[in-house]
Amino acid sequence: TMADSGASCRRALVAIALVAGRAGALARYDAVVIGAGPTGLAAALKLRNRGARVALVEKSRNPAAFDPERAFLYNVDGRGQSVLDSLGLLPTLIDSSVSQEAFKISIVKDDPDKPVSEPVALPTVDLEQRKRVPAQWIPRSKLVRIMDDAVASTTADSTSGLHPVDRLYGYELAGLELEEQAPASEGGAWRVRIARSHEAETDAEGAGSGAGSQELSAQLVLGTDGLSSAVRPRLAQLAGGGRRFSTKRRRCASAGLRYKVLNLPPGFALSRTTRETAVPEISYSVRSTPASPRPLKCGLLPLRTDADGRTANFITKHEHPLWDLRSAGQMREYLVKTFPHVPFEEVGDEELERFTRSAGGHFPAPQHCTDAALVPGGCDAAGAVLAGDALHAFPPDLGQGVNSGLQDVGVLDEKLEASGVRFGEGAALPSLRTPLEQYGRERAREGAALTRLVKLGYPFQVCAHRAGARPVPHTTSPRGWVGREGWGTPVQRALRSTCSARCVDHASLFASPRNPRALPRCAARLQYGQEARFSKLRQMAWALNVFLRLGLSKALPAVFSPQIFMLIQNPQLGYAEIERRADATTRTIWVCAAVMAAAVRLVLARVVPVVPT
């Protein structure tokens, strides 16, 4: 038929264009995804399942390679799991990660009697989590490897009309503009110019390989290229400037903190005296000796296996002396002096040299883009969207970075599905205006809510005591908020039952019956141990706020909601809904306080006689 012959002709033309594109001609795609992190990889797989011919552009030649500068772990909760499950990757994730329900934490300190505390299992905040797959801890490189392997395994399927994802690794965005003569009948409206990245050019294996630049054409462009997105400023220019696609930043207690990662050898000994080795599935908080002039600690998050070694995360303020060291010898001497109970001298010279020279990274201020999608006027068949860190970025306080990015992809897929959008040869060009505008409104609102939640949700640690242990009063903590009798009141028991696994100070706060004064005492502190102006007053106010909301939500759950950190661990709740509930609880508390104040004033006016002047 004429339609079949037209479709065959179009497939032939596209194939020719793809081959020519390698030599610099225009290669036509249905979608171009910029950035091959978890968000970009998920987006490429989702669009490919819709019949789209997808180009995945990434400046790194191997995005799944282990990078010591980005050797952090993800906590993939129900929001991210739902997207991975729809892609068939959830079983692989579970097999390669550590469950939140199995999360245990131990404290390593300069104590000759007990240098490594007994690991403590911490229950999840969301009690409904037991009805679902719990959150999973997995290294970033391993999650990216799982998803990149899924992308690499995509093949052409003539029956379903699916195409393999074209991975253009070692390239970065060099230009983005609307085609002057948008060939709507051919399917492309965006002209995407990519060039060899600096990383690929300096890589010995990648130098001189591949075309220096390429030009692509596509209906849909997705910017998933992280905090320093190259797509976002170009969309701002195309939108006509003004306030569209501008970045809104918020203040946050952890914003600006610096971090860097030390690679530890497999079976690393945590104690110089007992030679107790680190168990992969257990998390450790390693504390400096009390004699250290500047306290320091490093964290080891759980792994399924440490056959390839393990990472220790150091998080400090900018002025910490850790950043002033200039040689491996100086670093070794500093670590041995600061952690005399931990055999850090067993770390190799090469790794110490890399660690010393590493500039590390820093936690960004919570920020979101005002717009999430752009559909050019008069061109319903073309559009561009932002997702992941390109749309919203923040410190890891609430563990929502990877989850919010994957959720962006899931929402985009839902909007495309609701509008019946399908790509592929022989299919009519879909209108993208309605689904992209819906996506843009929803995700811009969710991103704004999320950055506010990060600011308010978990700036301090609230640490609970183990049942049967004796809490020790702290001179800087709000007197009475943890009684000497232990966790006996309903509010205290409820808080203990909802203590978070991210509370890394939990296990060190148990007073030993033999030596109750030997261990640190219970108090709220900034999440990463950094000092802050008026920190004691702020700690007291935040801790009282947590207890108040928790108690009220237990007594009147239909009226009050618990604190943000507890709400956010329910993946069924959207970020804007969590913000709405938290704000509603705040207003109700203020109204109740005003009513109580008015009632007390009225009672006092009746009881206390008025003294004539």
Side-chain angles (χ1 to χ4, degrees), residues 437-452:
E437 288 181 346
Q438 291 175 349
Y439 168 86
R441 287 191 296 269
E442 179 175 332
R443 298 318 291 174
R445 181 174 65 251
E446 290 285 296
L450 178 54
T451 55
R452 183 164 176 250

Side-chain angles (χ1 to χ4, degrees), residues 273-338:
T273 56
T274 65
R275 303 301 299 178
E276 181 176 344
T277 58
V279 179
E281 296 84 359
I282 295 179
S283 179
Y284 296 92
S285 178
V286 183
R287 310 297 177 79
S288 60
T289 178
S292 177
R294 288 292 300 271
L296 181 64
K297 63 181 180 181
C298 65
L300 283 68
L301 289 172
L303 296 173
R304 175 57 66 94
T305 175
D306 66 347
D308 297 326
R310 197 162 178 180
T311 58
N313 302 310
F314 292 80
I315 303 174
T316 74
K317 300 189 79 171
H318 278 260
E319 64 272 14
H320 196 280
L322 178 71
W323 303 97
D324 297 332
L325 305 175
R326 293 292 178 264
S327 69
Q330 291 179 341
M331 180 62 71
R332 188 186 304 277
E333 180 182 357
Y334 175 79
L335 291 178
V336 170
K337 183 178 180 180
T338 307

